[in-house]
Amino acid sequence: MKQVLLSSLYALIFIVGLTLVVMGQRAIGYLSLAMMITGLAMLLFLMYTYNKKYNV
């Protein structure tokens, strides 16, 4: 049950992060830049949590 909940949360973070990057790319201004940076931070967080399991 915990694994299903965690996977759903990761999928939601991925979708929201990707959406923020794409929406920020369409607009011009500091708000869109903040959206893209927030989306990038979300995607980097997902990469960090995935790679943390395989740290040698």
Side-chain angles (χ1 to χ4, degrees):
M1 182 66 181
K2 181 181 176 184
Q3 185 64 27
V4 172
L5 200 60
L6 202 57
S7 296
S8 299
L9 179 66
Y10 287 160
L12 182 68
I13 291 173
F14 176 76
I15 291 170
V16 170
L18 198 61
T19 303
L20 284 174
V21 170
V22 170
M23 287 177 59
Q25 183 69 27
R26 292 183 181 179
I28 298 173
Y30 290 116
L31 182 60
S32 62
L33 178 64
M35 287 172 53
M36 287 190 293
I37 290 174
T38 304
L40 179 63
M42 291 173 131
L43 296 175
L44 287 174
F45 169 75
L46 287 176
M47 289 174 55
Y48 169 75
T49 55
Y50 175 78
N51 287 325
K52 187 171 62 169
K53 293 185 285 191
Y54 303 107
N55 193 8
V56 176

